[in-house]
Amino acid sequence: MSKIQAAITAVGGYVPEKILSNKDLEKMVDTTDEWIQSRTGIKERHILEDGRATSDMAVKAINELLKKRGIGAEEIDIVICATITGDLIFPATANIVCDKIGAKNAWGFDLAAACSGFLFGLETGSKFIESGKYKKVIVIGGDKMSAILDYTDRNTCIIFGDGAGAVLLEPNEEGYGVCDSILRTDGSGREFLHQKAGGSLKPPTIETINAREHYVYQEGKTVFKFAVTNMAEVSREIVDRNGLKPDDVDYLVAHQANKRIIDATADRLEIGSDKVLMNIQRYGNTTNGTLPLLLWDFEKQLKKGDNLILSTFGGGFTWGAIYLKWAYNS
Ligand code: UT7
């Protein structure tokens, strides 16, 4: 019997209607459209309205995915939700999503690996499929970053946006799907990108709120340095060890944190910009949302048999790459 691989068989996505442009941010912090575009590649990002949460975006993405695949929510076995902005501290947002979509036969859990969460979730979901026990696994990547951003801090508020995407994984025995992965974590990098308060180390108090410690803290320059090196290296490593030449790589699907980091990764792979999927200009960095939102945006362009290199770097530090053979024409 041939080997079971986990293939992506449908994609869904959602970004909120409200747009926060660089021009809007010029009125909020000391920045310029020119600085943001030249240093990051971002023009605008989408912001979810108050009173709505990460699960609401995920539900929209999943409902689209189920419709495309022509299946009902009760057929889903597992829901993995990669997020750092779950609706509540507990229970898991995956549980809330299952309830909202009516996935009565599923179990699920959240996965926290900052910007690498979706990639780690894809690997995790793949293993459930490869086991042969589970036939339909949904992996969500989504964040309401606006919930944890300090809109007086120009170092962070210009970068991030809100959005969510989801993919359906199903067994494939013809060689399509997740072919290889290299995933890494280095917790010593936590000091450079984190949220100071709200966890068990520093529960919320009036002091933590007044000190603005419930927002994203990032030492951008240091994170940039590690991101450029590690994302490029791991992408190159997975390409080389699978015997792929630059011509064999059809698309780089890279975490959308900064256009300069993505360009450096493409250079390391020796591939042209026509092979680099990019939507950072419209969404900014949606953290767990970037990779599935790329697949969603460019789904029509992807052809059965295309070789995709998914690659990411995020807080933790966490990073990695997955080699995926695309399984369908849409
Ligand atoms: O997704 C998770 C992983 N995260 C990342 O991969 C993000 C990695 N980091 C980055 O993308 C970049 O470091 C940033 C976009 C965050 C910052 O860009 P940079 O080129 O590293 O800028 P910098 O922090 O080195 O600052 C350069 C200058 C400074 O001014 P001086 O000291 O040269 O006078 C900053 O004060 O730019 C200034 N600056 C700004 N100016 C206008 C910093 N932020 C802004 C701003 N608008 N928003």
Side-chain angles (χ1 to χ4, degrees), residues 111-132:
L111 193 156
C115 298
S116 303
F118 179 78
L119 207 74
F120 287 17
L122 194 55
E123 169 80 346
T124 310
S126 297
K127 297 301 155 196
F128 287 119
I129 294 286
E130 286 169 21
S131 76

Side-chain angles (χ1 to χ4, degrees), residues 30-31 35 39-40 115 154-155 158-159 193 218 220-221 223-224 227 255 257-258 260-261 285 313:
D30 181 14
T31 192
W35 190 96
R39 303 310 290 167
T40 69
C115 298
R154 70 176 183 175
N155 291 307
I158 56 123
I159 302 168
L193 179 51
Q218 176 171 252
K221 214 187 271 271
V223 178
F224 184 91
H255 175 50
N258 188 315
R260 290 182 289 143
I261 301 172
N285 180 351
F313 184 89

Side-chain angles (χ1 to χ4, degrees), residues 72-207:
E74 66 287 350
E75 293 180 54
I76 303 303
D77 299 315
I78 302 177
V79 172
I80 301 172
C81 183
T83 188
I84 55 162
T85 52
D87 293 21
L88 303 166
I89 297 286
F90 74 89
T93 300
N95 298 6
I96 300 169
V97 168
C98 286
D99 178 45
K100 286 183 177 177
I101 62 171
K104 297 192 184 325
N105 299 309
W107 61 282
F109 57 92
D110 287 2
L111 193 156
C115 298
S116 303
F118 179 78
L119 207 74
F120 287 17
L122 194 55
E123 169 80 346
T124 310
S126 297
K127 297 301 155 196
F128 287 119
I129 294 286
E130 286 169 21
S131 76
K133 182 173 179 185
Y134 300 99
K135 308 294 180 208
K136 288 184 172 52
V137 176
I138 286 182
V139 182
I140 305 162
D143 275 300
K144 182 185 178 184
M145 291 305 292
S146 60
I148 54 167
L149 285 178
D150 182 352
Y151 284 97
T152 66
D153 175 15
R154 70 176 183 175
N155 291 307
T156 49
C157 76
I158 56 123
I159 302 168
F160 296 96
D162 301 339
V167 299
L168 177 66
L169 297 177
E170 293 186 83
N172 185 289
E173 294 184 49
E174 294 165 353
Y176 299 100
V178 174
C179 299
D180 195 13
S181 63
I182 305 173
L183 305 175
R184 298 275 182 264
T185 181
D186 175 3
S188 68
R190 65 191 179 278
E191 64 180 286
F192 305 112
L193 179 51
H194 59 260
Q195 184 178 319
K196 292 189 187 303
S200 57
L201 180 65
K202 223 181 202 193
T205 61
I206 194 70
E207 286 77 24

Side-chain angles (χ1 to χ4, degrees), residues 8 86 110 291:
I8 293 178
D110 287 2
L291 298 184

